[in-house]
Amino acid sequence: MEETIAGAPNSQMTGQIPQQRGETLLETAVRYAEERHWDVVPGTWLEAADGRQHCSCGDVSCSAPGAHPARPDWPTQATGSATVARRMWQKQPTASILLPTGRTFDALSVPESAGFLALARMERMQLTLGPVTLAPDRRMQFFVLPGGCAKVPELVRKLGWSLSSLDLAALGEGSYVAAPPTRFGSRGAVQWACRPTPANRWLPDAEELISPLAYACGRDR
């Protein structure tokens, strides 16, 4: 689905996905619901004014323009139905695509530099990965089985770290991941560092990935 990042560690992660020319955000959101059974919810969008793109939220200093929830009750609006998703994006075709965490997956979020270091280490360890996104805010999100967030603080402690000392965030219920090809204003679009494939439909447990991720975040401090 959409673009993947050139230069990732191995062929499993780098297989270039032909860009879906002409594919709209609506069609992509519908495919996420149909093909991966992920819940989706439309977020904010970008509006052009004075020759610049601004977030629909109206905040001129928005930190994630066009890539965050549009309303406070967004978790209740999320749907896994392709039919409902199509209807929602028909109302606002340029809305970003947000994937709620804590449902079909949780996510482990780390800085881009640590993420690529961890990917190389995971390749050497021959770990099987789920999808991984890279956002223009220079953070990577590793998809893991739901419920993984609750384990992370104790798993990190057993490795000799405290979670507060690492730039590692566990995204579970109440959080979300912006999905490709959502754009962060003029900074660019979210991409896949490890794309969704039939082979990674079954997600790893957080416990399988926490060691290389914590190690990479520790090195990256």
Side-chain angles (χ1 to χ4, degrees), residues 23-58:
E23 184 171 74
T24 63
L25 285 160
L26 182 156
E27 291 165 333
T28 305
V30 167
R31 286 203 294 118
Y32 287 147
E34 282 183 339
E35 297 176 12
R36 300 298 291 203
H37 304 294
W38 288 339
D39 281 7
V40 295
V41 64
T44 53
W45 56 93
L46 296 171
E47 298 177 333
D50 304 321
R52 298 178 58 191
Q53 290 185 318
H54 301 272
C55 186
S56 62
C57 72

Tab-separated table of all heavy atoms in Angstrom, residues 23-58:
chain	number	residue	atom	x	y	z
A	23	GLU	N	-5.073	6.962	-6.736
A	23	GLU	CA	-5.800	6.435	-5.577
A	23	GLU	C	-6.001	7.556	-4.565
A	23	GLU	O	-5.056	8.250	-4.181
A	23	GLU	CB	-5.039	5.287	-4.933
A	23	GLU	CG	-5.828	4.662	-3.793
A	23	GLU	CD	-5.178	3.382	-3.287
A	23	GLU	OE1	-4.160	3.476	-2.617
A	23	GLU	OE2	-5.725	2.303	-3.584
A	24	THR	N	-7.226	7.740	-4.141
A	24	THR	CA	-7.566	8.820	-3.228
A	24	THR	C	-7.405	8.364	-1.777
A	24	THR	O	-7.258	7.169	-1.483
A	24	THR	CB	-9.017	9.264	-3.448
A	24	THR	OG1	-9.878	8.155	-3.136
A	24	THR	CG2	-9.247	9.703	-4.892
A	25	LEU	N	-7.441	9.341	-0.869
A	25	LEU	CA	-7.441	9.015	0.556
A	25	LEU	C	-8.644	8.139	0.889
A	25	LEU	O	-8.550	7.212	1.695
A	25	LEU	CB	-7.465	10.306	1.375
A	25	LEU	CG	-6.145	11.080	1.422
A	25	LEU	CD1	-6.389	12.529	1.816
A	25	LEU	CD2	-5.164	10.429	2.391
A	26	LEU	N	-9.773	8.414	0.248
A	26	LEU	CA	-10.967	7.597	0.458
A	26	LEU	C	-10.694	6.143	0.110
A	26	LEU	O	-10.981	5.230	0.890
A	26	LEU	CB	-12.129	8.151	-0.386
A	26	LEU	CG	-13.493	7.464	-0.279
A	26	LEU	CD1	-14.603	8.432	-0.670
A	26	LEU	CD2	-13.586	6.225	-1.183
A	27	GLU	N	-10.121	5.923	-1.068
A	27	GLU	CA	-9.871	4.543	-1.507
A	27	GLU	C	-8.858	3.842	-0.602
A	27	GLU	O	-8.989	2.648	-0.315
A	27	GLU	CB	-9.375	4.553	-2.961
A	27	GLU	CG	-10.459	4.979	-3.944
A	27	GLU	CD	-9.897	5.345	-5.321
A	27	GLU	OE1	-8.725	5.765	-5.400
A	27	GLU	OE2	-10.638	5.203	-6.299
A	28	THR	N	-7.865	4.590	-0.141
A	28	THR	CA	-6.868	3.991	0.747
A	28	THR	C	-7.478	3.627	2.084
A	28	THR	O	-7.229	2.540	2.624
A	28	THR	CB	-5.694	4.965	0.949
A	28	THR	OG1	-5.163	5.346	-0.313
A	28	THR	CG2	-4.599	4.316	1.769
A	29	ALA	N	-8.272	4.526	2.649
A	29	ALA	CA	-8.932	4.243	3.931
A	29	ALA	C	-9.821	3.009	3.811
A	29	ALA	O	-9.839	2.148	4.714
A	29	ALA	CB	-9.753	5.447	4.372
A	30	VAL	N	-10.540	2.909	2.711
A	30	VAL	CA	-11.412	1.748	2.495
A	30	VAL	C	-10.583	0.466	2.414
A	30	VAL	O	-10.959	-0.576	2.975
A	30	VAL	CB	-12.260	1.946	1.219
A	30	VAL	CG1	-12.938	0.637	0.806
A	30	VAL	CG2	-13.307	3.028	1.448
A	31	ARG	N	-9.427	0.532	1.741
A	31	ARG	CA	-8.576	-0.658	1.636
A	31	ARG	C	-8.029	-1.086	2.990
A	31	ARG	O	-7.899	-2.277	3.271
A	31	ARG	CB	-7.430	-0.416	0.653
A	31	ARG	CG	-7.869	-0.422	-0.802
A	31	ARG	CD	-6.731	-0.740	-1.752
A	31	ARG	NE	-5.712	0.296	-1.759
A	31	ARG	CZ	-4.455	0.101	-1.400
A	31	ARG	NH1	-4.065	-1.080	-0.958
A	31	ARG	NH2	-3.575	1.082	-1.447
A	32	TYR	N	-7.670	-0.121	3.853
A	32	TYR	CA	-7.188	-0.478	5.189
A	32	TYR	C	-8.268	-1.251	5.945
A	32	TYR	O	-7.979	-2.232	6.636
A	32	TYR	CB	-6.804	0.773	5.975
A	32	TYR	CG	-5.527	1.441	5.526
A	32	TYR	CD1	-5.381	2.820	5.608
A	32	TYR	CD2	-4.455	0.707	5.017
A	32	TYR	CE1	-4.209	3.447	5.206
A	32	TYR	CE2	-3.289	1.325	4.601
A	32	TYR	CZ	-3.167	2.698	4.705
A	32	TYR	OH	-2.006	3.306	4.305
A	33	ALA	N	-9.499	-0.805	5.818
A	33	ALA	CA	-10.598	-1.492	6.505
A	33	ALA	C	-10.889	-2.852	5.874
A	33	ALA	O	-11.078	-3.852	6.581
A	33	ALA	CB	-11.856	-0.623	6.476
A	34	GLU	N	-10.871	-2.896	4.544
A	34	GLU	CA	-11.208	-4.144	3.834
A	34	GLU	C	-10.102	-5.189	3.937
A	34	GLU	O	-10.360	-6.364	4.234
A	34	GLU	CB	-11.475	-3.852	2.356
A	34	GLU	CG	-12.822	-3.268	2.076
A	34	GLU	CD	-13.055	-3.076	0.581
A	34	GLU	OE1	-12.074	-3.011	-0.190
A	34	GLU	OE2	-14.231	-2.990	0.189
A	35	GLU	N	-8.850	-4.769	3.672
A	35	GLU	CA	-7.761	-5.723	3.528
A	35	GLU	C	-7.079	-6.064	4.850
A	35	GLU	O	-6.603	-7.187	5.030
A	35	GLU	CB	-6.727	-5.183	2.536
A	35	GLU	CG	-7.285	-4.998	1.141
A	35	GLU	CD	-6.276	-4.380	0.186
A	35	GLU	OE1	-5.082	-4.314	0.539
A	35	GLU	OE2	-6.680	-3.953	-0.903
A	36	ARG	N	-6.996	-5.097	5.770
A	36	ARG	CA	-6.301	-5.341	7.033
A	36	ARG	C	-7.238	-5.408	8.221
A	36	ARG	O	-6.819	-5.762	9.328
A	36	ARG	CB	-5.260	-4.237	7.285
A	36	ARG	CG	-4.202	-4.117	6.224
A	36	ARG	CD	-3.342	-5.343	6.065
A	36	ARG	NE	-2.463	-5.604	7.186
A	36	ARG	CZ	-1.345	-6.333	7.112
A	36	ARG	NH1	-0.972	-6.857	5.955
A	36	ARG	NH2	-0.600	-6.539	8.171
A	37	HIS	N	-8.504	-5.061	8.005
A	37	HIS	CA	-9.494	-5.035	9.090
A	37	HIS	C	-9.086	-4.070	10.196
A	37	HIS	O	-9.324	-4.310	11.377
A	37	HIS	CB	-9.734	-6.441	9.645
A	37	HIS	CG	-10.142	-7.428	8.602
A	37	HIS	ND1	-11.340	-7.343	7.905
A	37	HIS	CD2	-9.504	-8.511	8.090
A	37	HIS	CE1	-11.416	-8.329	7.032
A	37	HIS	NE2	-10.323	-9.048	7.117
A	38	TRP	N	-8.442	-2.969	9.790
A	38	TRP	CA	-8.070	-1.925	10.735
A	38	TRP	C	-9.213	-0.931	10.864
A	38	TRP	O	-9.861	-0.580	9.880
A	38	TRP	CB	-6.836	-1.162	10.233
A	38	TRP	CG	-5.559	-1.924	10.314
A	38	TRP	CD1	-5.280	-2.994	11.108
A	38	TRP	CD2	-4.367	-1.678	9.555
A	38	TRP	NE1	-3.989	-3.432	10.902
A	38	TRP	CE2	-3.410	-2.632	9.965
A	38	TRP	CE3	-4.020	-0.727	8.594
A	38	TRP	CZ2	-2.126	-2.669	9.428
A	38	TRP	CZ3	-2.746	-0.759	8.062
A	38	TRP	CH2	-1.808	-1.730	8.476
A	39	ASP	N	-9.449	-0.450	12.080
A	39	ASP	CA	-10.367	0.666	12.262
A	39	ASP	C	-9.712	1.926	11.688
A	39	ASP	O	-8.496	2.114	11.817
A	39	ASP	CB	-10.659	0.893	13.745
A	39	ASP	CG	-11.682	-0.104	14.279
A	39	ASP	OD1	-12.063	-1.033	13.540
A	39	ASP	OD2	-12.096	0.048	15.449
A	40	VAL	N	-10.504	2.762	11.068
A	40	VAL	CA	-10.011	4.016	10.506
A	40	VAL	C	-10.925	5.155	10.959
A	40	VAL	O	-12.106	4.945	11.234
A	40	VAL	CB	-9.963	3.972	8.956
A	40	VAL	CG1	-8.949	2.954	8.470
A	40	VAL	CG2	-11.345	3.667	8.368
A	41	VAL	N	-10.359	6.343	11.020
A	41	VAL	CA	-11.168	7.519	11.350
A	41	VAL	C	-10.566	8.720	10.622
A	41	VAL	O	-9.339	8.871	10.561
A	41	VAL	CB	-11.215	7.764	12.878
A	41	VAL	CG1	-9.845	8.079	13.450
A	41	VAL	CG2	-12.208	8.863	13.233
A	42	PRO	N	-11.408	9.555	10.001
A	42	PRO	CA	-10.872	10.740	9.329
A	42	PRO	C	-10.408	11.780	10.339
A	42	PRO	O	-11.072	12.024	11.347
A	42	PRO	CB	-12.060	11.252	8.503
A	42	PRO	CG	-13.278	10.698	9.178
A	42	PRO	CD	-12.859	9.404	9.799
A	43	GLY	N	-9.255	12.379	10.075
A	43	GLY	CA	-8.735	13.428	10.938
A	43	GLY	C	-8.876	14.788	10.296
A	43	GLY	O	-9.768	15.018	9.471
A	44	THR	N	-8.005	15.706	10.663
A	44	THR	CA	-8.015	17.040	10.060
A	44	THR	C	-7.518	16.950	8.626
A	44	THR	O	-7.089	15.889	8.157
A	44	THR	CB	-7.126	17.993	10.873
A	44	THR	OG1	-5.822	17.411	11.020
A	44	THR	CG2	-7.726	18.266	12.251
A	45	TRP	N	-7.527	18.084	7.943
A	45	TRP	CA	-7.070	18.130	6.553
A	45	TRP	C	-6.369	19.468	6.319
A	45	TRP	O	-6.347	20.340	7.195
A	45	TRP	CB	-8.239	17.958	5.590
A	45	TRP	CG	-9.337	18.964	5.792
A	45	TRP	CD1	-9.507	20.162	5.171
A	45	TRP	CD2	-10.442	18.836	6.709
A	45	TRP	NE1	-10.622	20.798	5.620
A	45	TRP	CE2	-11.225	20.000	6.582
A	45	TRP	CE3	-10.847	17.853	7.622
A	45	TRP	CZ2	-12.383	20.221	7.320
A	45	TRP	CZ3	-11.995	18.070	8.366
A	45	TRP	CH2	-12.754	19.232	8.216
A	46	LEU	N	-5.765	19.591	5.163
A	46	LEU	CA	-5.025	20.805	4.828
A	46	LEU	C	-5.868	21.732	3.970
A	46	LEU	O	-6.572	21.279	3.059
A	46	LEU	CB	-3.731	20.449	4.092
A	46	LEU	CG	-2.719	19.637	4.907
A	46	LEU	CD1	-1.572	19.161	4.021
A	46	LEU	CD2	-2.189	20.452	6.084
A	47	GLU	N	-5.785	23.019	4.295
A	47	GLU	CA	-6.500	24.033	3.529
A	47	GLU	C	-5.508	25.073	3.038
A	47	GLU	O	-4.618	25.490	3.779
A	47	GLU	CB	-7.568	24.704	4.405
A	47	GLU	CG	-8.642	23.727	4.900
A	47	GLU	CD	-9.645	24.384	5.833
A	47	GLU	OE1	-9.259	25.382	6.503
A	47	GLU	OE2	-10.787	23.901	5.908
A	48	ALA	N	-5.638	25.483	1.793
A	48	ALA	CA	-4.734	26.471	1.210
A	48	ALA	C	-5.240	27.883	1.494
A	48	ALA	O	-6.429	28.175	1.334
A	48	ALA	CB	-4.618	26.255	-0.290
A	49	ALA	N	-4.311	28.738	1.958
A	49	ALA	CA	-4.639	30.143	2.197
A	49	ALA	C	-3.346	30.946	2.168
A	49	ALA	O	-2.335	30.525	2.724
A	49	ALA	CB	-5.339	30.316	3.553
A	50	ASP	N	-3.363	32.079	1.513
A	50	ASP	CA	-2.190	32.945	1.409
A	50	ASP	C	-0.985	32.211	0.821
A	50	ASP	O	0.163	32.442	1.223
A	50	ASP	CB	-1.811	33.516	2.776
A	50	ASP	CG	-2.964	34.271	3.425
A	50	ASP	OD1	-3.684	34.968	2.684
A	50	ASP	OD2	-3.137	34.146	4.643
A	51	GLY	N	-1.252	31.297	-0.101
A	51	GLY	CA	-0.175	30.561	-0.736
A	51	GLY	C	0.462	29.507	0.142
A	51	GLY	O	1.497	28.943	-0.207
A	52	ARG	N	-0.150	29.215	1.296
A	52	ARG	CA	0.385	28.205	2.214
A	52	ARG	C	-0.715	27.220	2.588
A	52	ARG	O	-1.901	27.504	2.422
A	52	ARG	CB	0.928	28.866	3.488
A	52	ARG	CG	2.084	29.813	3.245
A	52	ARG	CD	2.514	30.466	4.554
A	52	ARG	NE	2.893	29.456	5.545
A	52	ARG	CZ	3.103	29.733	6.838
A	52	ARG	NH1	2.960	30.965	7.284
A	52	ARG	NH2	3.454	28.774	7.670
A	53	GLN	N	-0.281	26.073	3.093
A	53	GLN	CA	-1.233	25.076	3.567
A	53	GLN	C	-1.365	25.173	5.085
A	53	GLN	O	-0.369	25.178	5.808
A	53	GLN	CB	-0.777	23.675	3.172
A	53	GLN	CG	-0.878	23.408	1.675
A	53	GLN	CD	-0.527	21.971	1.340
A	53	GLN	OE1	0.420	21.412	1.872
A	53	GLN	NE2	-1.285	21.374	0.448
A	54	HIS	N	-2.595	25.245	5.546
A	54	HIS	CA	-2.879	25.360	6.971
A	54	HIS	C	-3.750	24.193	7.415
A	54	HIS	O	-4.512	23.628	6.628
A	54	HIS	CB	-3.600	26.675	7.268
A	54	HIS	CG	-2.829	27.890	6.860
A	54	HIS	ND1	-1.916	28.507	7.682
A	54	HIS	CD2	-2.833	28.605	5.711
A	54	HIS	CE1	-1.393	29.549	7.073
A	54	HIS	NE2	-1.934	29.628	5.858
A	55	CYS	N	-3.653	23.852	8.685
A	55	CYS	CA	-4.477	22.774	9.230
A	55	CYS	C	-5.916	23.250	9.379
A	55	CYS	O	-6.168	24.402	9.762
A	55	CYS	CB	-3.935	22.328	10.586
A	55	CYS	SG	-4.801	20.879	11.268
A	56	SER	N	-6.840	22.370	9.115
A	56	SER	CA	-8.259	22.709	9.225
A	56	SER	C	-8.666	23.032	10.663
A	56	SER	O	-9.744	23.592	10.880
A	56	SER	CB	-9.117	21.560	8.688
A	56	SER	OG	-8.910	20.376	9.447
A	57	CYS	N	-7.812	22.702	11.639
A	57	CYS	CA	-8.139	22.998	13.039
A	57	CYS	C	-8.062	24.489	13.325
A	57	CYS	O	-8.577	24.962	14.349
A	57	CYS	CB	-7.230	22.233	13.996
A	57	CYS	SG	-5.521	22.839	14.069
A	58	GLY	N	-7.402	25.262	12.459
A	58	GLY	CA	-7.324	26.700	12.618
A	58	GLY	C	-6.167	27.194	13.461
A	58	GLY	O	-5.945	28.403	13.578
